[in-house]
Amino acid sequence: MTNLIDIPLATASQILPLHILLPLLLAIICFLVKSSSIVKWLSIATGILHLLFALVLVSLAVSQNGAVFTYSIGGWDAPLGISLILNAFSAIVLLMTATISLAITIYSGHYFKDVEQARRFWPLWWLLNTALCGIFLSGDLFNLYVMLELMGLSGVSLIAINKSQSAIKAAYQYLLVGLFGSLLFLFGVALIYREYGLLDLSMLAATAQGSLLTKCALGFMSLGLILKTALYPLHFWLPDAHASAPAPVSAALSALVLKGTFYILFMLWFSVLTPATTFLGASIIGAFGAIAILWGSVKAFTTDKLKLLVAYSTVAQVGYLFILFPLMYQYPTKTLGAAAYFIVAHACAKAAMFMAVGNIQRVAGHDDIKRLSGIASHMPLSIFIFAIAGVSLMGLPPSGGFIAKWIMFESALETKQWWWIIFLVVGGLLSASYLFRVLNLAFTTPTVEHQVHVSSSAEGGLLSALVLAVITIVIGLNAMWILDIIDIGLVTSTLGTDK
Amino acid sequence: MWINLMFDCLLVVLILVLATGALFSTNVFTGIVLFISLGLAVTIAWIRLNAIDVAIAEVTIGAGLTGALFLGAWKRLEIKKRLQHSINITETKND
Amino acid sequence: MINAHDSTSLKNRYVFIIIMAISMLAGCVIYALLQTPAPQNIMYDLVQANIQQSGVTNPVTAILLNFRAYDTLLEFAVFFCVSIASLPYLDAGVSDSSDLETQDAPLFSLVKVLAPLTILLAGYMLWVGSFKPGGAFQAGALLAGCGLLLTLSNVGVTRMNGFWWRSIFSMSLIFFILVIGFSYLHSHTFLMYPTTLSGRLILFVEFAATFSIAATLYLCYLSVRGKVSQGAHRAS
Amino acid sequence: MQAELYSVCGVILFALGLIAFLVKSGVFHKVLALNVMGIGVFMLLLATSAFYPNAIDPLTHGMVLTGIVVAVAGSALALNLATQIDLPLQSDEMK
């Protein structure tokens, strides 16, 4: 361990706490400063700075052969203090978070016309960013709980910023689910602490055993996190919450917040409490994931509202993430790449899609799919983004979604779990059918009474969404890029945290 | 030693009874009041467990302020219900 | 009629299944707990070994504001988040004349005595936190309780949206970040206080945190309770 | 013995809260159930440090203090949102 920490790495580690401090500082400034234009430009500048930091970290991680960055906060080493950890996997997720949050920041600058809403949005948005970066960097179980609460509460407040009854109801339900999930997680943390007297993840990874208490703890934590990640039977809160939030918030919730909870779950299963996991448990989770794909797709196909359609598509896509579990259990080296790919591809595609849909909804004044026929001629850019993001969600060739599914195919064949392939294929077909339903309507000529009137400047804020949509294609064309980083990371450390 | 253990047992039973009462009472107000008393009982438990800091925080924040929040919200919803009720009555009269 | 009966019996069955499942789960956890030996107690020794450098002698304060100050920073962020979320609801009230609040003289004179006492107690709590049980959270809660007492006797505070109130809500974080910046200049490490000053810096952060926590808790109460106006607003 | 007693009590409190959260409807009972679950977890944590009465682990106390404060923040936000919802409140369908 000591030979890894040479001088450039130690200096580079200094960037880690900045990922948390920077958004936190900006949240305070946004809360205190009244002028919304200052806040907007400052936010965009910080977003760029944040992205640069993340880029520096990833390039350092690559150039140092996938070294694991650790940083003991306050100089207190692990069991006493809290340490931040960054490995190749979390570096990629962090870079993705920085990119998407910059895109959403730029988009929100255009989106919020109401000054009151904008003033409430910015501080909460930066708090959400703090929590997300904190989750991807955290190396401590209790710290993860606090981060989860911060993420949950800021997410809830963001849903409720437009004060409409439906938004408040959705926010209330989301809050109850969030608090309940965090408490289940905290119960698991308490059980772990009861058994090992430790909270630090890398130390736990070294000492954890497969005893009954650890299994119980992992079960409770998984249950809480699965509830927050909205896997099939526990997804009931997601469509309302994601559909009634303002578009930038829906984008953030779908693209980033779900990934935050999934990341914790994934890390707990495959790098911290691995001795307590069983193939049966992983398969059960995978089975629910498979049902989620079918159920979410069918619901997306039958719904009338465009935003609900995208929200149900999230339910389906979350299913794929959980199918990774049984594959990961048997063939971790390969599946880790699929996980990283899937997370990045889905996050970029879903964020772009929600932004495009938000734009359509705002310009057309509604999001009834039936009344949107012919929208493509009025808002070509929005539909274009929707289509590109859709390509990635379906898993068609030149996209990140395709690569992710391809690797999942391979590892399913390799581990002789061919039955998951059926769900991958059927899920792809189903998502194609519900997405083409929208695209088909968008290109038909509308009847006279359903004409949509659009002002010329309707698509100004979509540039960032376009960039995200292009990213989903670029990572598909340049498949080796993310996989290389993951492979480099695998050489020096086992999966998640260093041991 | 033996007396201490007896006391702990009694306290645990009291806490469980109060919790059951608070959670499964049909009347909301009773539930809130029982919850506040649960907070006080738990405070004693924290003292028994040598956690004085936590006991102070529990009695001020856990029992006191959470209780005040619950009572405030309860009061507000009662008033809201009354208003709603009167509106409903006037509406039916108008019809 | 049959339908309604069916749905209640279905609900009863559902409730029964939930209760059975959770009881079994709890039984399993309790069995596992009783099987597990007590954990090794490394934390106590570690804290005892390092408490000299932490600047305070109360181990809990040392944990909260030095060893694991990062958690506390984020906890202040949680509070900050709640205050941002609660502010817009401050004026949206439907209360009519309320009987929880009174204007009768005995209560008011009691409050006049109690309020300064609570403030004094809060100050003591804050100061004592560095070597005995106590600290910012407890002091903040006491201060908020004082605010609550004042509200109950109709001594209200207005315009919590103003700049000064907003800076009080964010005060804990601002002071904390100032301290972080200051100590970074000394030690070049995130959240590592200079040893000679750490006691004072911790007190500084706790001082700010007390006000923020009190203000936020008070704000929570006010926004939950709603604005007291004489039957002005009606639920739509 | 004391530590075991309180940890069992903590688990039972957590289970009671869990049942009430899933079974009961209505704002107050849901939030009360969350609070009781929280108390259960805190008791479990503090009981862990009671295994060594002469060498109390302050980390659990710190965690519980943080937990209490976060729980209050969550309940306050929940009650705040709940009071903003127009009646009838019974229509909120949670599993």
Side-chain angles (χ1 to χ4, degrees):
Chain A
M1 192 63 228
T2 40
N3 64 338
L4 277 179
I5 300 180
D6 44 43
I7 292 143
L9 200 61
T11 344
S13 305
Q14 300 284 343
I15 304 178
L16 291 183
L18 277 180
H19 277 279
I20 290 129
L21 273 183
L22 204 64
L24 191 59
L25 193 63
L26 208 68
I28 302 168
I29 294 174
C30 291
F31 183 60
L32 290 179
V33 175
K34 249 189 168 155
S35 154
S36 53
S37 62
I38 294 180
V39 164
K40 186 173 129 191
W41 290 112
L42 208 59
S43 296
I44 291 174
T46 314
I48 294 170
L49 198 62
H50 194 188
L51 181 59
L52 284 179
F53 284 154
L55 269 175
V56 168
L57 278 180
V58 169
S59 51
L60 268 171
V62 173
S63 65
Q64 305 266 336
N65 288 327
V68 176
F69 294 75
T70 50
Y71 187 91
S72 306
I73 293 175
W76 305 108
D77 282 335
L80 183 62
I82 301 172
S83 56
L84 301 178
I85 290 185
L86 187 86
N87 54 34
F89 188 67
S90 51
I92 288 172
V93 186
L94 195 70
L95 181 62
M96 173 203 89
T97 308
T99 315
I100 293 178
S101 71
L102 175 63
I104 294 178
T105 304
I106 294 173
Y107 178 75
S108 321
H110 287 271
Y111 185 86
F112 287 104
K113 302 287 184 224
D114 181 14
V115 183
E116 271 300 304
Q117 276 192 31
R119 280 189 55 198
R120 255 171 285 148
F121 172 79
W122 290 112
L124 291 170
W125 165 237
W126 284 111
L127 281 177
L128 185 69
N129 267 318
T130 314
L132 279 167
C133 293
I135 283 178
F136 297 134
L137 289 176
S138 179
D140 185 276
L141 266 183
F142 190 73
N143 185 244
L144 277 175
Y145 164 74
V146 181
M147 290 294 186
L148 270 178
E149 286 282 15
L150 182 60
M151 188 170 81
L153 292 183
S154 52
V156 165
S157 322
L158 278 171
I159 293 177
I161 55 174
N162 66 2
K163 279 190 178 177
S164 70
Q165 275 296 310
S166 63
I168 290 179
K169 267 183 197 156
Y172 170 69
Q173 199 178 41
Y174 182 50
L175 176 61
L176 284 188
V177 166
L179 288 176
F180 184 65
S182 318
L183 272 172
L184 287 176
F185 182 80
L186 184 63
F187 188 65
V189 175
L191 291 180
I192 290 285
Y193 193 76
R194 166 69 181 73
E195 184 162 11
Y196 302 106
L198 286 172
L199 291 170
D200 186 69
L201 293 182
S202 43
M203 294 183 81
L204 269 176
T207 51
Q209 293 142 7
S211 68
L212 182 60
L213 196 62
T214 314
K215 283 201 169 85
C216 287
L218 183 66
F220 277 104
M221 288 198 253
S222 305
L223 203 61
L225 291 170
I226 283 174
L227 177 66
K228 285 181 149 236
T229 322
L231 179 62
Y232 160 64
L234 304 174
H235 70 282
F236 54 93
W237 55 269
L238 184 140
D240 278 346
H242 287 201
S244 52
V249 178
S250 319
L253 289 179
S254 252
L256 302 176
V257 172
L258 288 183
K259 304 300 180 300
T261 49
F262 180 78
Y263 173 80
I264 302 176
L265 186 64
F266 201 71
M267 192 177 61
L268 285 180
W269 269 69
F270 298 112
S271 77
V272 181
L273 299 175
T274 320
T277 57
T278 56
F279 183 60
L280 182 68
S283 300
I284 291 173
I285 290 180
F288 278 119
I291 303 173
I293 294 176
L294 303 181
W295 174 260
S297 304
V298 169
K299 288 297 266 187
F301 192 74
T302 50
T303 183
D304 311 329
K305 299 277 186 192
L306 193 52
K307 246 183 149 180
L308 260 183
L309 183 144
V310 184
Y312 274 117
S313 142
T314 304
V315 173
Q317 297 284 320
V318 162
Y320 289 108
L321 285 176
F322 283 98
I323 283 190
L324 286 168
F325 272 68
L327 303 181
M328 185 78 189
Y329 190 85
Q330 297 213 319
Y331 193 17
T333 45
K334 187 121 199 176
T335 320
L336 193 66
Y341 239 98
F342 203 91
I343 289 176
V344 173
H346 174 244
C348 291
K350 205 34 83 64
M353 201 173 236
F354 259 120
M355 288 187 216
V357 167
N359 206 41
I360 292 173
Q361 185 191 25
R362 215 186 38 181
V363 172
H366 63 84
D367 65 338
D368 251 338
I369 295 173
K370 289 206 181 66
R371 283 158 61 204
L372 284 178
S373 47
I375 195 81
S377 57
H378 296 284
M379 313 181 70
L381 188 59
S382 302
I383 291 296
F384 178 65
I385 293 168
F386 188 89
I388 292 186
V391 165
S392 181
L393 291 186
M394 290 176 228
L396 292 184
S399 69
F402 171 71
I403 306 284
K405 281 188 188 167
W406 184 252
I407 310 171
M408 281 167 77
F409 273 137
E410 283 187 352
S411 42
L413 284 177
E414 200 85 26
T415 55
K416 304 207 170 49
Q417 301 183 49
W418 48 268
W419 48 88
W420 302 121
I421 293 178
I422 302 172
F423 291 100
L424 292 181
V425 173
V426 172
L429 289 176
L430 281 173
S431 53
S433 63
Y434 65 73
L435 289 169
F436 275 123
R437 180 171 152 241
V438 176
L439 292 177
N440 203 12
L441 260 179
F443 285 105
T444 51
T445 5
T447 47
V448 182
E449 72 262 36
H450 287 158
Q451 278 288 357
V452 186
H453 300 286
V454 180
S455 59
S456 56
S457 65
E459 306 196 294
L462 278 180
L463 194 67
S464 53
L466 185 66
V467 172
L468 285 186
V470 170
I471 288 176
T472 61
I473 301 296
V474 169
I475 60 171
L477 292 175
N478 219 343
M480 285 302 102
W481 194 73
I482 292 181
L483 292 180
D484 278 348
I485 301 178
I486 290 288
D487 286 342
I488 290 170
L490 279 174
V491 177
T492 47
S493 68
T494 48
L495 316 184
T497 53
D498 61 326
K499 287 189 185 174
Chain B
M1 190 62 213
W2 191 80
I3 290 177
N4 275 346
L5 199 63
M6 268 310 279
F7 183 75
D8 283 333
C9 285
L10 279 178
L11 190 60
V12 163
V13 170
L14 176 71
I15 286 172
L16 290 179
V17 168
L18 282 177
T20 320
L23 290 177
F24 298 98
S25 67
T26 42
N27 185 346
V28 173
F29 185 73
T30 324
I32 295 171
V33 171
L34 283 175
F35 176 76
I36 296 173
S37 7
L38 172 68
L40 296 177
V42 163
T43 307
I44 302 172
W46 297 164
I47 294 172
R48 293 283 309 143
L49 289 168
N50 284 322
I52 311 295
D53 297 78
V54 183
I56 300 172
E58 178 76 40
V59 82
T60 49
I61 303 181
L65 274 164
T66 314
L69 281 176
F70 273 116
L71 284 176
W74 175 77
K75 180 105 181 67
R76 180 169 180 184
L77 282 182
E78 286 296 301
I79 292 169
K80 213 169 171 180
K81 256 183 216 159
R82 218 187 303 143
L83 278 176
Q84 187 98 344
H85 191 62
S86 63
I87 288 171
N88 285 346
I89 288 171
T90 48
E91 270 171 5
T92 44
K93 270 181 189 167
N94 287 345
D95 288 347
Chain C
M1 214 39 221
I2 293 162
N3 222 342
H5 176 74
D6 265 7
S7 78
T8 51
S9 79
L10 194 71
K11 179 151 195 271
N12 280 340
R13 198 173 305 157
Y14 167 69
V15 167
F16 180 72
I17 290 172
I18 285 180
I19 292 175
M20 287 313 286
I22 292 175
S23 316
M24 273 162 60
L25 254 177
C28 175
V29 172
I30 289 172
Y31 172 76
L33 266 181
L34 297 180
Q35 294 280 305
T36 315
Q40 84 245 55
N41 197 10
I42 46 174
M43 278 310 166
Y44 176 75
D45 303 329
L46 273 173
V47 171
Q48 288 304 315
N50 289 300
I51 202 157
Q52 291 297 325
Q53 293 148 38
S54 75
V56 287
T57 49
N58 177 12
V60 179
T61 308
I63 286 273
L64 280 177
L65 283 145
N66 201 339
F67 304 139
R68 294 175 69 91
Y70 181 55
D71 272 352
T72 310
L73 174 71
L74 288 159
E75 197 190 335
F76 292 163
V78 170
F79 251 67
F80 179 56
C81 173
V82 170
S83 71
I84 301 171
S86 300
L87 264 179
Y89 302 117
L90 196 58
D91 299 326
V94 290
S95 313
D96 59 1
S97 65
S98 133
D99 22 87
L100 196 67
E101 272 114 84
T102 51
Q103 280 169 326
D104 62 288
L107 178 74
F108 190 63
S109 53
L110 183 68
V111 167
K112 267 200 285 190
V113 180
L114 269 182
L117 257 180
T118 333
I119 295 175
L120 218 65
L121 195 59
Y124 171 73
M125 203 52 106
L126 174 65
W127 169 74
V128 89
S130 51
F131 44 91
K132 265 191 201 161
F137 298 126
Q138 293 90 340
L142 272 176
L143 217 59
C146 167
L148 224 139
L149 270 179
L150 289 175
T151 322
L152 286 184
S153 56
N154 270 341
V155 185
V157 188
T158 48
R159 287 217 2 103
M160 287 185 105
N161 278 312
F163 178 79
W164 292 112
W165 272 105
R166 278 187 287 142
S167 42
I168 290 182
F169 293 132
S170 44
M171 198 159 121
S172 58
L173 284 177
I174 293 174
F175 277 42
F176 216 139
I177 288 179
L178 281 181
V179 165
I180 288 171
F182 175 74
S183 45
Y184 187 85
L185 293 180
H186 270 259
S187 57
H188 298 287
T189 309
F190 176 52
L191 266 174
M192 184 196 262
Y193 311 125
T195 319
T196 46
L197 285 174
S198 55
R200 259 168 278 175
L201 288 178
I202 286 174
L203 198 63
F204 186 63
V205 171
E206 281 206 287
F207 176 75
T210 306
F211 284 104
S212 287
I213 289 168
T216 308
L217 287 172
Y218 183 53
L219 169 71
C220 284
Y221 176 73
L222 284 188
S223 58
V224 163
R225 187 203 52 160
K227 195 181 185 180
V228 182
S229 54
Q230 304 286 327
H233 185 101
R234 301 219 138 186
S236 52
Chain D
M1 198 56 215
Q2 194 195 26
E4 270 98 358
L5 181 68
Y6 280 106
S7 24
V8 169
C9 177
V11 175
I12 295 176
L13 272 181
F14 186 81
L16 278 176
L18 207 62
I19 292 172
F21 185 82
L22 295 176
V23 168
K24 285 284 206 173
S25 59
V27 180
F28 288 99
H29 279 103
K30 292 261 186 222
V31 185
L32 277 178
L34 287 174
N35 274 293
V36 172
M37 280 166 75
I39 291 177
V41 179
F42 302 151
M43 194 173 277
L44 186 59
L45 275 172
L46 288 180
T48 304
S49 69
F51 276 107
Y52 303 95
N54 302 319
I56 294 286
D57 172 7
L59 181 59
T60 53
H61 294 194
M63 283 199 278
V64 172
L65 271 176
T66 312
I68 288 178
V69 175
V70 170
V72 167
S75 321
L77 196 54
L79 289 175
N80 207 337
L81 286 175
T83 47
Q84 305 300 325
I85 300 175
D86 286 345
L87 299 170
L89 276 163
Q90 279 68 29
S91 64
D92 57 297
E93 299 224 350
M94 280 276 313
K95 291 239 303 187

